[in-house]
Amino acid sequence: MNMLSPDALPPRVARGVRRRALDADETLFRQGDPATAVFMVERGRIALRRHLAHGAAVTLHVARAGEGFAEAALFSDRYHCDAVAAAPATVAAIPKRALLDAMRNDSALASAVMAQLARQVQALRAQIELRNVRPARERVFRALLLAAGGDGRVTLDRPLKEMAAEIGLTHEAFYRAMAALAARGRIARAGQTIAIKRI
């Protein structure tokens, strides 16, 4: 269970949890806002986007139902990115101060949160490695492999455009790569399912 799930939190922290419903494209917080809470997605998807100096925005991560986000806020005065609903969503806001106090007094909770953060670091490193794979079709193929279940199939739970942004490709480059993989017989798509052919 995710340690930021209200069900997993100590009662004194869970009592302070507030839920917020967001429409698609609604902003939860902006880069530079005071960091007062960490969050858990209960429904929908939340895109974390950072604005670059020249004005463009980069999607750093998309948190899905059951995932936490903005954990860096525990040790920062400000949020480092925007959090925007990529689809209608409900999030649980966990007060930062209450969670930090509970972690100081409960070593098991602190260890569980640290273990969860370590797993996130591993996943982010894998994503960085993936973004450096060339050519684009190989990057897309490896992303699909990572997302596939034991049966070698990926069931799409979000728009392909969103998947493209997660691995650092334009949606046009992503679609071309998918078409090239299909033409080479490395993948087969039927509706929302992609079957991976290991050749």
Side-chain angles (χ1 to χ4, degrees), residues 85-137:
T90 303
V91 299
I94 299 116
K96 166 176 139 174
R97 184 61 43 215
L99 182 57
L100 282 172
D101 289 346
M103 289 169 63
R104 286 188 190 99
N105 296 311
D106 184 340
S107 61
L109 173 65
S111 293
V113 171
M114 285 188 289
Q116 185 170 305
L117 295 176
R119 288 190 295 274
Q120 287 182 355
V121 168
Q122 291 170 336
L124 289 172
R125 286 179 177 161
Q127 186 176 10
I128 290 168
E129 182 181 332
L130 186 61
R131 284 179 177 234
N132 289 316
V133 171
R134 302 285 187 273
R137 71 175 176 273

Side-chain angles (χ1 to χ4, degrees), residues 1-17:
M1 177 182 286
N2 188 306
M3 289 312 301
L4 296 181
S5 168
D7 295 336
L9 293 169
R12 64 187 179 278
V13 179
R15 281 192 292 272
V17 170

